């Protein structure tokens, strides 16, 4: 499973970072950065919560 972001929708609220800081981070310009690669199985449930918590609907999961 991978997670992605639509940068046109992301307003950097940071909800995803509070749920899964190992995957999500803001750079110096407050642009959301996502760790590349597949999520570990142990991260998938947290990633689903992070996607659901995004108030702008900017995050998505793919297999």
């Amino acid at each position: 499973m991978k997670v992605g972001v639509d940068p046109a929708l992301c307003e950097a609220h940071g909800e995803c970072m509070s749920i899964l800081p190992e995957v999500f981070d803001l750079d110096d310009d407050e642009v959301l950065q996502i760790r590349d690669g597949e999520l570990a199985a142990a991260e998938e449930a947290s990633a689903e919560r992070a996607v659901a918590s995004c108030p702008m609907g900017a995050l998505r999961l793919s297999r």
Side-chain angles (χ1 to χ4, degrees):
M1 181 180 293
K2 291 184 178 185
V3 65
V5 62
D6 181 338
L9 294 176
C10 181
E11 292 184 353
H13 290 269
E15 298 298 322
C16 57
M17 294 183 317
S18 66
I19 295 170
L20 197 55
E22 301 84 5
V23 174
F24 302 100
D25 195 15
L26 289 179
D27 67 13
D28 292 338
D29 295 322
E30 295 194 3
V31 174
L32 185 66
Q33 302 296 307
I34 299 176
R35 185 189 73 209
D36 286 336
E38 294 285 326
L39 295 170
E43 295 172 325
E44 290 183 6
S46 294
E48 289 171 354
R49 284 195 315 275
V51 168
S53 76
C54 180
M56 303 308 297
L59 299 173
R60 64 191 171 287
L61 293 172
S62 62
R63 295 206 182 262

